[in-house]
Amino acid sequence: MPENLRVSSRPRVTLRDIAAHAGVSRSTVSLVMQESSLVAESTRQRVRDAIDALGYVYNRGAATLRSPRTATIGVVVHDIANPFFGALMAGIDETLQDADYVPFLASSGDSLARQARFLARMREHRVDALLLCPAEETPASLIETIADWGMPCIEVMRHVGPSPLGDYVGADLRTGIANAVRHLIALGHRRITLLAGTADHSADRERLAGYRQAMHEAGLDDLSRIVRGPLTRCAGREITLELMRGDDRPTALICHNDLVALGALLALSHLGLRAGQDCAVVGVDDIDEAALTDPALSSIATHPRSIGRRAAELALKRIRTPDGERERIVLDAPLMVRASSQPSLARPQESP
Amino acid sequence: MPENLRVSSRPRVTLRDIAAHAGVSRSTVSLVMQESSLVAESTRQRVRDAIDALGYVYNRGAATLRSPRTATIGVVVHDIANPFFGALMAGIDETLQDADYVPFLASSGDSLARQARFLARMREHRVDALLLCPAEETPASLIETIADWGMPCIEVMRHVGPSPLGDYVGADLRTGIANAVRHLIALGHRRITLLAGTADHSADRERLAGYRQAMHEAGLDDLSRIVRGPLTRCAGREITLELMRGDDRPTALICHNDLVALGALLALSHLGLRAGQDCAVVGVDDIDEAALTDPALSSIATHPRSIGRRAAELALKRIRTPDGERERIVLDAPLMVRASSQPSLARPQESP
DNA sequence: ATTCCGTTTTGGATCGATCCAAAAAGCTGT
DNA sequence: ACAGCTTTTTGGATCGATCCAAAACGGAAT
């Protein structure tokens, strides 16, 4: 290993040094750093040369002290280990990089305390905006509190309260689920079970609403059944095993997300049942695996990367125009029909 | 939507206000904010009360201007959408939150330009340390450059150059792969193909080295075969299909990661072959799916969350003692044997 | 030559914390 | 009461940028 000789207290290059080297004032250099159009092209070039020559590093901390902009954004998700949020974050990151913004990231783990702590930190760092997928049980007042702080906040995928108060970007799961139910009904299914989560947040309520609505439309209210459990592959498997062992078995399952749906597929194959033939399965998110399982999994596509991009774009816009009209961007969540709910494989399970 | 009336230019509460309210000097308040032990308990309490009463928000930008510490860390991975890095990030996040640090995150997408840009930004923000999973083709000089900046840097999972120059946290893939090869040989396999990536980085080279070493030990150099391709599920599938159609089929596949391995499983089942019986498959990473496929996938566990935690801990340590001895933390990567390489299912495919 | 006006440039004040050397306050023990 | 400690507290200088009102510049028109 090469010796780690650190030049103790190397004199730091500042705006002042650049100004001296380029023969202009500090103000001018500052304007160049801000890409201001006020500076004459020739001067700008001279300053740029000085910056390169001296190896100047812009000190954003110092800049922040005077100006309100920090070129940073805070992102809160509830579990970054979940591939859905990984993809979401990738979309956010992509958009922010183009705008020279950098994101702070935190996983709340659906803990209100962790979420609050991180938000406090974001305030201290004076981020320009917040992208928030609120933790379960987040009180509706939080959004107002954040607004009081003067910090733009975009809710992503979930929102507190019955409908988004401010800016929001999400997927139209209500319609997505309703369409899935209609699709299954068209295939002859009647006993359609919804595997939902145990938590009570908007994304969960929307799924429920879509399910109820479509079942109701078809006059199947009495057959509607909702089963709650953890949202993991394992839980999906266990719950499905149990469901299929009962007498009143469903002929179709709509799962809260693809992880649960993959668990359901495992359970079916374990029981010697063929998904799509003996029991239809539909997931949510359309993660990469979905197309590659056997049989391939029908899934409602939520396009996390696009949602991330849209959310980040909206945040940047809100930073530019803090008092602009609030926006609610709800992306389509189309059903990707695959073998696990294939028409050709369907057969009526019972007459209505 | 409630009106968005923003109190324009609400007077900001500063240290000075707290000092006045608590009847002490600014310096004392500052010491309280820094949790210094110099302040008497009674004074500390008075200051805390004032902070609560006035709703003071610490201004980290201002603090940064004077002190070298920012309580931020920069994290570069090459693809945050990859579940492996999601889990890694979760580990990092966990550890940092306990230390009241916040991470900046960027996905380099294995682009040197994006990586360089983000690093420049991190320098401007004066992060206290860097966790870096270097993009492919990153020149060895980068680590020295970063050291020159006076910024501690922990390489994670990958390192530039033949061996890590400075701090490093990773998994012992070399031994992990070698053990997997030995395991397969013990089961009677001889034609063991390695499905490697196309990129040339340390994590790839280590896998190769482990493979070569174990094949060599067994005197199977001539049978060793390495196939390169993209590291996706699809690619794993396609490559496996092609391999199995050739005459000189392998009896076992070791895949660069689990995604590729899952692709391989799909290919086998598509060909009517039974993984673990007609062809053994071993993956790397031991992602959640691995245990739940059918047949379950043998995999070399890399424990991304632990690696993230260890890396973050090391970074915090390096911040405290910048000139401490450099550390190389290499975690075990044990082979999780499952049905896709089950002893009981194995049968000698050919005599040596 | 002078005035006018749009384009560039500038110096000083300022943001809100930390650092540091020195002062003040509290203890002991004589 | 005072010297000699240790424990707390303090005021000014300082970090490195931005903001802003005013000055300098340069060309065109009078």
Side-chain angles (χ1 to χ4, degrees):
Chain A
M1 191 182 333
E3 277 206 55
N4 193 282
L5 53 137
R6 177 104 74 78
V7 183
S8 59
S9 85
R10 176 198 328 235
R12 240 203 258 289
V13 178
T14 74
L15 261 198
R16 172 167 262 114
D17 301 314
I18 303 300
H21 193 271
V24 296
S25 73
R26 283 162 22 248
S27 307
T28 304
V29 181
S30 174
L31 289 172
V32 171
M33 290 312 294
Q34 297 172 69
E35 321 253 272
S36 159
S37 59
L38 285 178
V39 183
E41 190 47 43
S42 61
T43 313
R44 185 193 311 279
Q45 201 46 57
R46 211 141 33 90
V47 171
R48 290 250 166 80
D49 291 346
I51 288 174
D52 290 345
L54 302 188
Y56 169 64
V57 179
Y58 185 56
N59 184 334
R60 286 195 188 257
T64 303
L65 193 50
R66 263 317 264 172
S67 88
R69 214 51 66 76
T70 58
T72 59
I73 269 190
V75 179
V76 185
V77 299
H78 72 268
D79 178 18
I80 187 62
N82 179 329
F84 176 87
F85 287 107
L88 184 90
M89 190 63 209
I92 293 173
D93 182 60
E94 220 173 277
T95 302
L96 292 187
Q97 288 198 22
D98 291 341
D100 259 339
Y101 263 74
V102 284
F104 283 110
L105 172 68
S107 233
S108 72
D110 267 330
S111 141
L112 286 180
R114 285 177 70 174
Q115 177 173 276
R117 229 160 87 119
F118 181 71
L119 291 180
R121 212 101 295 145
M122 291 300 95
R123 226 183 145 193
E124 295 173 356
H125 282 288
R126 285 175 159 56
V127 293
D128 293 341
L130 225 43
L131 292 175
L132 176 66
C133 175
E136 283 169 25
E137 322 257 335
T138 297
S141 59
L142 181 66
I143 302 302
E144 287 169 40
T145 304
I146 293 172
D148 271 353
W149 296 347
M151 197 179 277
C153 175
I154 318 291
E155 289 184 283
V156 184
M157 286 310 291
R158 296 177 179 177
H159 53 80
V160 299
S163 88
L165 270 169
D167 290 305
Y168 172 77
V169 180
D172 189 0
L173 285 175
R174 187 190 167 117
T175 308
I177 295 274
N179 284 339
V181 172
R182 293 183 194 117
H183 158 74
L184 291 169
I185 289 174
L187 292 180
H189 293 281
R190 292 297 175 269
R191 291 192 184 158
I192 303 171
T193 293
L194 181 71
L195 298 192
T198 49
D200 175 48
H201 57 253
S202 65
D204 202 83
R205 285 193 298 275
E206 271 180 45
R207 284 169 170 86
L208 243 76
Y211 172 75
R212 288 232 178 79
Q213 178 189 336
M215 290 298 274
H216 179 73
E217 279 167 12
L220 295 175
D221 304 78
D222 51 325
L223 285 170
S224 82
R225 191 160 306 170
I226 292 152
V227 177
R228 295 185 166 279
L231 298 175
T232 64
R233 214 177 304 245
C234 271
R237 197 182 117 105
E238 298 312 314
I239 291 173
T240 304
L241 284 176
E242 202 168 321
L243 279 175
M244 300 313 281
R245 282 199 191 108
D247 350 281
D248 196 27
R249 323 178 170 180
T251 68
L253 299 174
I254 298 186
C255 303
H256 181 279
N257 62 27
D258 283 346
L259 297 185
V260 174
L262 293 174
L265 290 186
L266 286 169
L268 292 178
S269 102
H270 184 258
L271 293 170
L273 300 172
R274 177 101 187 133
Q277 217 157 330
D278 303 305
C279 179
V281 178
V282 175
V284 172
D285 283 348
D286 194 32
I287 60 178
D288 292 347
E289 278 102 309
L292 295 163
T293 52
D294 180 35
L297 176 67
S298 294
S299 186
I300 298 164
T302 46
H303 303 304
R305 207 179 192 107
S306 303
I307 291 182
R309 266 193 298 255
R310 297 297 295 272
E313 281 162 15
L314 182 51
L316 294 172
K317 179 172 177 185
R318 188 58 65 236
I319 291 169
R320 286 192 302 272
T321 58
D323 297 317
E325 189 70 37
R326 294 294 178 261
E327 293 184 26
R328 242 153 271 179
I329 298 176
V330 179
L331 302 181
D332 262 6
L335 176 64
M336 314 302 282
V337 177
R338 303 207 178 86
S340 74
S341 72
Q342 202 58 265
S344 60
L345 298 173
R347 34 162 213 214
Q349 302 280 325
E350 57 189 294
S351 32
Chain B
M1 190 180 336
E3 277 207 55
N4 194 283
L5 52 138
R6 177 104 75 75
V7 183
S8 61
S9 86
R10 176 202 324 239
R12 238 204 259 289
V13 179
T14 74
L15 261 199
R16 172 168 262 111
D17 301 311
I18 302 300
H21 193 271
V24 296
S25 72
R26 285 166 14 251
S27 306
T28 304
V29 181
S30 173
L31 289 172
V32 171
M33 291 311 294
Q34 297 172 70
E35 320 254 90
S36 158
S37 58
L38 285 179
V39 183
E41 190 48 42
S42 60
T43 314
R44 184 193 312 279
Q45 201 45 59
R46 211 142 32 90
V47 171
R48 290 250 166 81
D49 292 346
I51 288 174
D52 290 345
L54 302 189
Y56 169 64
V57 179
Y58 185 55
N59 184 332
R60 284 192 189 261
T64 302
L65 193 50
R66 264 316 263 170
S67 89
R69 214 53 66 75
T70 58
T72 59
I73 269 189
V75 180
V76 186
V77 299
H78 73 268
D79 178 18
I80 187 62
N82 178 330
F84 176 87
F85 288 106
L88 184 90
M89 191 63 209
I92 293 173
D93 183 59
E94 221 172 276
T95 302
L96 291 187
Q97 287 199 21
D98 291 341
D100 259 340
Y101 262 74
V102 283
F104 283 111
L105 172 69
S107 235
S108 71
D110 268 329
S111 141
L112 286 180
R114 285 176 69 174
Q115 176 173 278
R117 229 160 88 122
F118 181 70
L119 291 180
R121 214 100 296 146
M122 290 299 95
R123 224 182 147 193
E124 296 173 356
H125 281 289
R126 285 179 160 54
V127 294
D128 293 341
L130 225 43
L131 292 174
L132 176 67
C133 175
E136 283 168 25
E137 321 256 333
T138 298
S141 59
L142 181 66
I143 301 302
E144 287 169 41
T145 304
I146 294 172
D148 271 353
W149 295 348
M151 198 179 277
C153 175
I154 317 289
E155 289 184 284
V156 183
M157 287 309 292
R158 296 177 177 177
H159 53 81
V160 300
S163 86
L165 270 168
D167 290 304
Y168 172 77
V169 180
D172 189 359
L173 285 175
R174 188 192 165 119
T175 307
I177 295 274
N179 284 339
V181 173
R182 293 184 194 116
H183 158 75
L184 292 169
I185 289 174
L187 293 179
H189 292 282
R190 294 295 175 269
R191 290 195 185 155
I192 304 171
T193 293
L194 181 71
L195 298 192
T198 49
D200 176 47
H201 56 254
S202 65
D204 202 84
R205 284 193 299 273
E206 271 179 45
R207 284 168 168 88
L208 244 75
Y211 171 77
R212 288 232 177 80
Q213 179 190 336
M215 290 298 274
H216 179 72
E217 278 167 13
L220 297 175
D221 304 74
D222 51 326
L223 285 171
S224 81
R225 191 161 306 170
I226 293 153
V227 177
R228 297 186 166 277
L231 298 176
T232 64
R233 219 175 301 245
C234 273
R237 198 182 116 103
E238 297 313 313
I239 291 173
T240 304
L241 284 176
E242 202 167 321
L243 279 175
M244 301 312 281
R245 282 197 192 109
D247 352 278
D248 196 26
R249 319 180 174 179
T251 68
L253 298 174
I254 298 186
C255 304
H256 182 278
N257 63 26
D258 283 345
L259 298 185
V260 174
L262 293 174
L265 290 185
L266 286 169
L268 292 178
S269 102
H270 184 258
L271 293 170
L273 300 173
R274 177 104 186 131
Q277 220 158 330
D278 304 307
C279 179
V281 178
V282 175
V284 171
D285 282 346
D286 193 32
I287 61 178
D288 293 347
E289 277 103 308
L292 296 162
T293 51
D294 183 36
L297 176 66
S298 294
S299 186
I300 298 165
T302 45
H303 302 304
R305 209 181 193 104
S306 302
I307 291 181
R309 267 195 297 257
R310 296 297 294 273
E313 283 162 14
L314 182 51
L316 294 172
K317 179 172 176 183
R318 187 58 63 236
I319 290 168
R320 285 193 303 272
T321 57
D323 296 319
E325 189 69 37
R326 294 294 177 263
E327 294 183 25
R328 242 152 271 178
I329 298 176
V330 179
L331 301 181
D332 262 7
L335 175 65
M336 314 302 283
V337 177
R338 303 205 179 87
S340 75
S341 71
Q342 202 59 266
S344 61
L345 297 173
R347 36 164 214 211
Q349 301 278 327
E350 56 187 295
S351 32

